[in-house]
Amino acid sequence: MKRLRSFLMSAALGAAAATFAAIPVLAVDQDIVIIHTNDTHCGIEDNLGYEGVAAYEKQVKASTPYVTLVDAGDAIQGAPVGTLTEGESIIRLMNQADYDFAIPGNHEFDYGMDRLLALSARLDGGYYSCNLISGPAKETVFEPYKLIDYDDVTIAYVGVTTPESITKSTPTYFQDGSGNYIYDLCGDTTGQALYSQIQKTVDSATAAGADYVILVAHLGNEGVESVWTSKNVIAHTNGIHAVIDGHSHETYMERVPNKDGVLIPLSQTGTKFTHIGKMTITPSGDITMEMVDSVLGEDGQKAKDPQMAQVITDVKSQYEESLKTVLGHTSIELTAEDPETGNRAVRNSETNLGDFCADAYRNLLGAEIGIVNGGGIRAGIEAGDITFEDALKVYPFGNMICMVEISGQQLKDALEMGARYYPEENGGFIHVSGMSYTIDASVPSSVQTDEKGNFTGVAGAYRVKDIYVGDEPLDLARTYTLASHNYWLKSGGDGMSMFPSCPLLRDEVMVDVDTITAYIQDFLGGTVGNEYSNPRGQGRITIQNP
């Protein structure tokens, strides 16, 4: 029967118009529904939350037995519940929700490779990734795909993890003690290594009997290295029937042409359960996409799942009391998001929270300059008492602050690297203290990187200009003391390869969460006040748009 269907599929695809996929009618009499989430970032009760996922899954199962729940990465990091348990509590909730398939996003690596491997063993549905490889033989660390049968139909779910993970997480987690890379994600400057690995896996899954191949990817599009986007992967492959995406926190449902001109469904649900994705394969072979933004019960109210609610209560009870500890006070709101659009302003513009964080680093270490990456600031702080929970939401990674000696040229290169994606959001966007700079957006970025996304140089004109340290123009030949965190200064995170070679003056003085308390108490008299009253910061970063 499957051989006959494969023949019919090949014939149908050969006869199809160049821009449409012809999917055969398969031997299934009800919808196959794939429920999907991505970039939930420990938002266990945010928006729809895990209760919404569990309730919705049960509602769908009432109408069809063919239901699969998948996650496209970045689930175990982003809030205290993840940080304090190193992902353990989130794995417990995913098991309660009965996820069938999950992939590691870049933030699944944030607790180290050993921890990820341990968590994978506890995740009932398992982690899958076709492009996380290790050793001379380039063997996959996880299984590359999973076959699931729906009566007489087989779907292969193929996992893909962004090659940006090496720089977006901590590069040293992918290295041995001597700094040699022992893990890789098939990244290169052309994208061909990634495309080839995915195509090989898709072909293998098809040969193993898959009628459909669904790519579950943590790739994204906006603010991502262009050759590694989901759209470019689709454009350079065939044999994939649909793509469930993550990484860039976008919300989209599109159809994108593959290398044969066939339109492939592509969907991503945003972040922190703002939506639940629903992809349906109908008995006629059509693939439809839907964004679910509310899950209601029979009474018309928000649906509840009592079993999930109880597990969430149990998880929260383990750490909730310690999170209430008051660390300081702020009379004004410290913002990470644009108050008008809700976009992550810390990733492409100055904010008062970015200024505050950079000031804390600089003042606590006595450096001339303080810098912090926008991607390292994960949440704002509301006016009022600042609790341990608030601080952990800002800094969930547990980075340690350090100080190095850096040349003016190296600093300029770092600023250029941070500005290369503007106006798109970029986790490597640099907030500063003790200095100022301008981004001229009319100048196209000519930053060059190696196959892993590490900075190697600038080929043309710099976008950054008018760089001042204090009141003096930046001296490219002079050295400066610079405070930041180990993620940048020691590990070269975000591709900042210029930092690890700098002489280390002070090493891992305190964890970044503690800088909030220490800076408020030791330098601000106990309260964050009017010096940070402007949500858009103090004019340290000027943007010149064309």
Side-chain angles (χ1 to χ4, degrees):
M1 184 71 181
K2 281 196 174 182
R3 285 196 297 272
L4 174 61
R5 287 202 310 275
S6 295
F7 172 78
L8 292 173
M9 179 180 291
S10 297
L13 286 172
T19 56
F20 294 94
I23 304 297
V25 177
L26 300 180
V28 59
D29 58 359
Q30 296 186 63
D31 290 343
I32 297 173
V33 177
I34 304 160
I35 301 171
H36 58 95
T37 57
N38 63 270
D39 297 278
T40 55
H41 283 294
C42 300
I44 62 175
E45 295 180 293
D46 291 342
N47 302 302
L48 295 171
Y50 280 110
E51 266 202 84
V53 171
Y56 186 65
E57 184 181 23
K58 289 179 179 178
Q59 289 179 6
V60 176
K61 283 183 174 178
S63 60
T64 176
Y66 308 125
V67 180
T68 296
L69 177 60
V70 307
D71 183 78
D74 280 9
I76 65 173
Q77 175 278 335
V81 63
T83 303
L84 295 176
T85 65
E86 292 192 323
E88 181 75 39
S89 291
I90 303 303
I91 296 297
R92 181 181 174 189
L93 293 170
M94 292 178 73
N95 286 339
Q96 178 64 34
D98 201 21
Y99 276 85
D100 299 286
F101 182 95
I103 66 170
N106 53 294
H107 287 299
E108 262 69 41
F109 298 97
D110 284 347
Y111 308 120
M113 191 67 73
D114 290 343
R115 182 60 174 169
L116 174 57
L117 295 174
L119 292 175
S120 178
R122 298 170 195 172
L123 181 62
D124 293 343
Y127 280 123
Y128 295 80
S129 179
C130 75
N131 64 311
L132 176 60
I133 58 177
S134 69
K138 298 184 178 180
E139 297 177 344
T140 54
V141 176
F142 300 115
E143 290 297 319
Y145 64 87
K146 182 177 186 178
L147 297 174
I148 298 181
D149 293 326
Y150 306 82
D151 194 5
D152 200 31
V153 173
T154 300
I155 296 179
Y157 295 89
V158 176
V160 180
T161 302
T162 175
E164 289 191 336
S165 299
I166 292 177
T167 55
K168 294 298 184 184
S169 185
T170 300
T172 51
Y173 293 161
F174 298 84
Q175 302 168 359
D176 61 18
S178 300
N180 302 306
Y181 282 95
I182 55 175
Y183 296 98
D184 190 35
L185 283 157
C186 301
D188 67 0
T189 56
T190 68
Q192 192 57 51
L194 180 63
Y195 312 148
S196 297
Q197 183 73 3
I198 293 171
Q199 188 66 66
K200 182 177 71 172
T201 307
V202 169
D203 294 344
S204 175
T206 302
D211 300 297
Y212 293 89
V213 175
I214 308 294
L215 207 68
V216 183
H218 196 79
L219 294 172
N221 286 288
E222 183 176 318
V224 176
E225 191 69 42
S226 61
V227 296
W228 297 332
T229 64
S230 57
K231 290 182 180 179
N232 257 324
V233 164
I234 293 171
H236 288 85
T237 57
N238 57 19
I240 297 167
H241 295 92
V243 177
I244 292 167
D245 201 11
H247 186 41
S248 54
H249 295 198
E250 298 170 87
T251 302
Y252 46 67
M253 295 182 293
E254 303 179 26
R255 293 183 185 269
V256 179
N258 71 3
K259 76 175 186 178
D260 297 329
V262 177
L263 292 177
I264 306 302
L266 169 65
S267 181
Q268 185 180 174
T269 68
T271 183
K272 286 186 179 285
F273 297 108
T274 51
H275 302 86
I276 296 171
K278 180 184 182 184
M279 187 172 284
T280 303
I281 303 176
T282 69
S284 64
D286 294 327
I287 299 179
T288 64
M289 297 175 285
E290 181 181 342
M291 288 291 164
V292 178
D293 56 14
S294 65
V295 182
L296 304 179
E298 294 181 356
D299 58 359
Q301 302 300 310
K302 183 177 180 180
K304 304 287 186 181
D305 185 87
Q307 291 81 18
M308 180 62 76
Q310 183 58 57
V311 176
I312 290 174
T313 298
D314 291 346
V315 164
K316 290 169 61 179
S317 68
Q318 299 174 19
Y319 63 85
E320 203 162 43
E321 196 61 37
S322 63
L323 294 179
K324 297 177 183 177
T325 303
V326 176
L327 306 179
H329 185 85
T330 177
S331 61
I332 49 92
E333 181 180 358
L334 296 169
T335 60
E337 296 182 344
D338 187 308
E340 297 175 1
T341 65
N343 294 334
R344 297 177 292 180
V346 287
R347 290 173 177 251
N348 62 8
S349 63
E350 183 181 354
T351 76
N352 58 355
L353 181 55
D355 288 354
F356 171 87
C357 293
D359 285 348
Y361 285 12
R362 179 174 66 87
N363 283 286
L364 289 169
L365 292 187
E368 293 172 274
I369 302 164
I371 61 173
V372 62
N373 57 323
I377 301 170
R378 307 302 290 194
I381 302 176
E382 295 182 358
D385 287 338
I386 302 173
T387 65
F388 184 42
E389 181 175 18
D390 295 326
L392 279 174
K393 286 180 177 179
V394 175
Y395 288 137
F397 300 111
N399 288 320
M400 303 293 290
I401 63 171
C402 307
M403 185 167 70
V404 299
E405 189 175 69
I406 189 170
S407 73
Q409 182 63 58
Q410 288 172 314
L411 179 58
K412 184 178 181 180
D413 288 341
L415 295 172
E416 186 72 10
M417 183 71 168
R420 66 180 175 142
Y421 286 129
Y422 181 86
E424 294 181 3
E425 292 182 1
N426 173 24
F429 186 86
I430 298 182
H431 297 268
V432 297
S433 174
M435 65 169 296
S436 61
Y437 69 100
T438 295
I439 300 173
D440 185 348
S442 69
V443 177
S445 174
S446 59
V447 165
Q448 296 179 313
T449 60
D450 64 16
E451 70 279 358
K452 290 183 170 58
N454 295 304
F455 176 89
T456 58
V458 179
Y462 280 71
R463 310 184 86 189
V464 295
K465 63 181 185 180
D466 300 332
I467 306 169
Y468 284 81
V469 177
D471 296 326
E472 298 295 324
L474 180 71
D475 184 342
L476 299 181
R478 200 201 126 180
T479 57
Y480 300 87
T481 55
L482 179 141
S484 190
H485 43 55
N486 57 336
Y487 169 67
W488 263 357
L489 300 186
K490 296 177 67 177
S491 297
D494 288 321
M496 297 291 184
S497 58
M498 67 290 295
F499 290 138
S501 62
C502 295
L504 187 63
L505 303 180
R506 300 189 68 185
D507 187 17
E508 301 192 359
V509 175
M510 70 173 68
V511 67
D512 50 11
V513 169
D514 291 340
T515 65
I516 293 176
T517 307
Y519 180 54
I520 293 173
Q521 293 179 351
D522 297 344
F523 290 87
L524 299 180
T527 299
V528 181
N530 290 333
E531 63 268 46
Y532 297 102
S533 60
N534 186 348
R536 300 188 184 279
Q538 301 174 17
R540 302 174 187 180
I541 305 173
T542 301
I543 307 291
Q544 291 182 353
N545 289 307

